[in-house]
Amino acid sequence: MLYALMGEDTPDSLDKRLAARPAHLARLQALADAGRLLLAGPMPAIDSPDPGPAGFLGSLIVAEFASQAEAEAWMAQDPYVTDGVFARTVVRPFKRVLP
């Protein structure tokens, strides 16, 4: 089943986010390589694809996991969680309708 994994950044998290990004992307690439990643990306703090020093408000990942518990465990081990980028996370089942 698909799950939406959402993280909300802590204030002034840009430096932590940039430091943790290579490890975070490696985990996402592993999901993609396994054919389990539908989409992933950050939410800019301003209306721009490159927010510069304004940074990001959080991230959204939609990926396939065997269960919600597995999705939650995966999220709990993500570098954005373990390195303090995210203040809060939520994992919810996701039903793809379109496209």
Side-chain angles (χ1 to χ4, degrees):
M1 179 163 192
L2 291 173
Y3 292 87
L5 294 76
M6 297 163 280
E8 182 181 325
D9 282 27
T10 61
D12 300 316
S13 63
L14 186 57
D15 289 340
K16 287 182 183 179
R17 179 181 271 271
L18 293 174
R21 188 171 190 262
H24 170 74
L25 291 178
R27 293 182 86 238
L28 290 172
Q29 188 61 55
L31 285 176
D33 291 347
R36 297 171 47 200
L37 183 65
L38 183 64
L39 65 89
M43 293 176 272
I46 60 173
D47 189 11
S48 171
D50 182 7
F56 299 91
L57 299 176
S59 296
L60 169 66
I61 300 164
V62 179
E64 183 179 349
F65 292 92
S67 67
Q68 182 154 349
E70 182 183 308
E72 290 171 351
W74 188 93
M75 184 68 152
Q77 294 303 311
D78 189 82
Y80 283 2
V81 173
T82 61
D83 293 357
V85 175
F86 291 154
R88 285 176 287 288
T89 62
V90 64
V91 175
R92 297 284 186 254
F94 181 82
K95 181 178 176 184
R96 182 178 180 170
V97 175
L98 292 171

